[in-house]
Amino acid sequence: MDILNKKHRSGVKKPFRLEEIWRIRTRLEIENSFMQLALLNLAIDSKLRASDLLPLKVCDISSQDRMFTRVKHIQQKTDVEVQFEITARTQQSLMKWIFVATLKTSDYLFPSIRRKQQPISYSYYRYLVRKWASNLGLDPSLYGTHSMRRTKATLVYAKTKNIRAVQLLLGHTKVDNTIRYLGVELEDALLLSEGTDC
């Protein structure tokens, strides 16, 4: 039983559903948690792994007080370039956070309070994601930093059924990885194939 629970905890992390994201946003807005709101929104928009998201600096997403609408980024794990959009909502939350925290262009977007000139740690990011899940009454062990990477990808796939588009957004080199990542069932894949006329 313990082995089963351990496997369950360390398995693929669930994405958040759209209504859950809105509930998290609302709570963070009420609490004036500017950093967490900016982190949540950028994590969803960028679909980046924690190893790529946390080291981002202010200059990576803005220039001369102007927020970029699109960003190109080379992923550390794969060395593959991905592009992501920064939606108007995310731009607004980032600008507010940068202003409140008085961040300079060379500063990390999400600086650590304890470690000087370092971004927040992976473990703190994971703690925040699990706290957001817990606040919604969800099992926090089912959520982690990868939940943020999967959230928008899952929503895009659910809306479009376009695996290739999601593959490009995530920067996967093989479509098989994207299929596994999204948990696309064989039946779903066959229906997609049947609906495609060649």
Side-chain angles (χ1 to χ4, degrees), residues 40-121:
L40 171 83
N41 287 336
L42 187 61
I44 291 169
D45 276 1
S46 70
K47 301 162 285 295
L48 292 174
R49 294 176 183 89
S51 58
D52 290 307
L53 177 68
L54 301 182
L56 287 177
K57 295 189 172 184
V58 174
C59 59
D60 294 322
I61 54 108
S62 67
S63 174
Q64 298 174 344
D65 299 327
R66 189 181 64 82
M67 199 67 56
F68 301 145
T69 54
R70 286 202 179 170
V71 175
K72 289 182 180 180
H73 182 78
I74 305 285
Q75 298 179 107
Q76 283 185 21
K77 183 178 177 182
T78 60
D79 211 32
V80 171
E81 184 181 82
V82 288
Q83 288 190 53
F84 61 87
E85 76 289 355
I86 303 180
T87 60
R89 179 185 306 106
T90 301
Q91 289 179 40
Q92 191 176 25
S93 61
L94 283 166
M95 285 188 291
K96 193 160 198 171
W97 163 239
I98 290 166
F99 175 75
V100 167
T102 60
L103 299 178
K104 299 186 296 292
T105 55
S106 59
D107 289 338
Y108 287 105
L109 263 176
F110 308 108
S112 171
I113 295 168
R114 293 183 185 152
R115 300 174 303 146
K116 274 202 163 211
Q117 297 179 348
Q118 290 293 315
I120 61 171
S121 65

Side-chain angles (χ1 to χ4, degrees), residues 5-177:
N5 284 339
K6 190 175 180 184
K7 186 181 176 188
H8 190 61
R9 279 196 302 273
S10 62
V12 175
K13 299 305 178 188
K14 290 181 71 167
F16 286 104
R17 297 195 314 267
L18 189 57
E19 61 270 22
E20 291 167 345
I21 290 297
W22 277 107
R23 286 172 61 200
I24 296 167
R25 276 191 186 122
T26 302
R27 188 182 189 114
L28 294 177
E29 284 169 1
I30 290 168
E31 294 172 349
N32 285 326
S33 296
F34 302 119
M35 189 279 279
Q36 288 186 45
L37 184 61
L39 177 63
L40 171 83
N41 287 336
L42 187 61
I44 291 169
D45 276 1
S46 70
K47 301 162 285 295
L48 292 174
R49 294 176 183 89
S51 58
D52 290 307
L53 177 68
L54 301 182
L56 287 177
K57 295 189 172 184
V58 174
C59 59
D60 294 322
I61 54 108
S62 67
S63 174
Q64 298 174 344
D65 299 327
R66 189 181 64 82
M67 199 67 56
F68 301 145
T69 54
R70 286 202 179 170
V71 175
K72 289 182 180 180
H73 182 78
I74 305 285
Q75 298 179 107
Q76 283 185 21
K77 183 178 177 182
T78 60
D79 211 32
V80 171
E81 184 181 82
V82 288
Q83 288 190 53
F84 61 87
E85 76 289 355
I86 303 180
T87 60
R89 179 185 306 106
T90 301
Q91 289 179 40
Q92 191 176 25
S93 61
L94 283 166
M95 285 188 291
K96 193 160 198 171
W97 163 239
I98 290 166
F99 175 75
V100 167
T102 60
L103 299 178
K104 299 186 296 292
T105 55
S106 59
D107 289 338
Y108 287 105
L109 263 176
F110 308 108
S112 171
I113 295 168
R114 293 183 185 152
R115 300 174 303 146
K116 274 202 163 211
Q117 297 179 348
Q118 290 293 315
I120 61 171
S121 65
Y122 171 83
S123 58
Y124 183 61
Y125 179 31
R126 183 182 59 201
Y127 160 78
L128 289 176
V129 175
R130 289 180 174 174
K131 187 178 84 163
W132 298 336
S134 186
N135 287 341
L136 293 176
L138 303 170
D139 180 350
S141 69
L142 300 178
Y143 296 85
T145 62
H146 239 60
S147 297
M148 306 314 298
R149 179 163 157 79
R150 295 186 72 213
T151 293
K152 196 163 194 176
T154 306
L155 292 170
V156 169
Y157 176 73
K159 191 173 183 179
T160 65
K161 300 295 185 194
N162 187 334
I163 291 175
R164 175 64 180 151
V166 176
Q167 179 191 2
L168 290 170
L169 291 171
L170 293 173
H172 285 161
T173 51
K174 295 180 181 174
V175 77
D176 294 1
N177 296 343

